[in-house]
Amino acid sequence: MTALGPGRDCPLCPRLVGFRDKQRAAHPDWHNAPVPSFGTDDARLLIVGLAPGLQGANKTGRPFTGDWAGDLLYETLIDFGFATGVYDERPDDGLTLVDARITNAVRCVPPENKPTTEEIATCRPFLSATVAAMPRLQAIVALGRIGHDSVVRALGERPSRVGFGHGATHRIGQLTLFDSYHCSRYNTNTGVLTTAMFRAVFQAVRGHLDAA
Ligand code: URA
């Protein structure tokens, strides 16, 4: 375990450890460990997801890689200049983030994609440390309410004072927090989140950083 991230065998969440052990037995060739942040810590933008998907980030070891949600996320990042290369659902696809970093509120895959409140709180010090280690950080995109709430708490604010809303922006200290509905399969299939809505968030982030 380091200050910035949990070690491969992080013991902090018993339920997630049990789930991880099962996945290791069933799929010894998968990553099956806390998924580290992707991108360098000198980025001005941090994107915060929820948690690795079982057969996506948990398998590949890179946030959103191989997950349904990664298709829209990486396509959008490429379009707005926050990534270069080709996203091919593999950690060795050569995709490079540009001035951006991606992390998750919870680093380990939770059963049914649902971390408990306690697991989110237990993993939060790693999110706080990730934020603290980014000296040029100016903007955070929170994907979904859980990511939003965890970021707000990590920044020392209360979600009751800084509420989640798709397309909302919040100034917290020196940082601007941009909220988006999570780009999950459920949200995109049901039309809760359209491609245009998602792109509008990153358009706003691009404008914000270009004006800085
Ligand atoms: N994969 C991730 O890494 N994070 C999410 O929030 C969803 C899928």
Side-chain angles (χ1 to χ4, degrees):
M1 193 146 339
T2 69
L4 286 189
R8 274 192 67 82
D9 297 319
C10 179
L12 295 180
C13 302
R15 188 182 75 118
L16 301 187
V17 171
F19 193 56
R20 181 174 74 204
D21 287 345
K22 267 193 206 151
Q23 301 309 323
R24 284 180 177 177
H27 309 285
D29 52 325
W30 289 10
H31 175 74
N32 288 324
V35 173
S37 306
F38 176 33
T40 56
D41 59 14
D42 58 353
R44 288 185 299 162
L45 171 63
L46 179 66
I47 298 155
V48 180
L50 171 57
L54 178 60
Q55 300 185 42
N58 172 66
K59 179 178 177 184
T60 64
R62 195 176 75 180
F64 287 91
T65 299
D67 285 304
W68 171 279
D71 289 0
L72 179 57
L73 176 61
Y74 284 118
E75 179 189 318
T76 306
L77 292 180
I78 290 169
D79 282 355
F80 286 99
F82 291 116
T84 55
V86 173
Y87 169 62
D88 195 25
E89 303 181 24
R90 295 179 288 113
D92 60 352
D93 56 13
L95 187 87
T96 307
L97 296 183
V98 180
D99 207 11
R101 193 167 205 219
I102 307 176
T103 196
N104 280 308
V106 174
R107 301 289 180 99
C108 288
V109 58
E112 290 164 16
N113 277 334
K114 287 197 182 74
T116 65
T117 306
E118 193 181 346
E119 288 159 358
I120 296 163
T122 299
C123 213
R124 188 167 306 117
F126 298 119
L127 178 60
S128 305
T130 299
V131 169
M134 297 182 69
R136 299 179 66 235
L137 187 64
Q138 292 185 18
I140 298 179
V141 173
L143 298 177
R145 183 183 301 274
I146 293 176
H148 165 96
D149 285 358
S150 207
V151 166
V152 167
R153 289 186 201 276
L155 296 178
E157 267 289 358
R158 289 200 305 273
S160 57
R161 279 175 38 90
V162 184
F164 173 82
H166 177 83
T169 61
H170 315 272
R171 187 82 185 169
I172 305 180
Q174 299 302 306
L175 300 176
T176 304
L177 172 61
F178 294 77
D179 288 342
S180 172
Y181 290 135
H182 194 287
C183 46
S184 65
R185 185 197 306 248
Y186 178 82
N187 282 347
T188 51
N189 278 350
T190 56
V192 167
L193 179 71
T194 63
T195 299
M197 287 165 70
F198 197 62
R199 289 177 63 85
V201 172
F202 283 89
Q203 176 89 65
V205 175
R206 182 83 269 168
H208 177 77
L209 291 178
D210 286 353

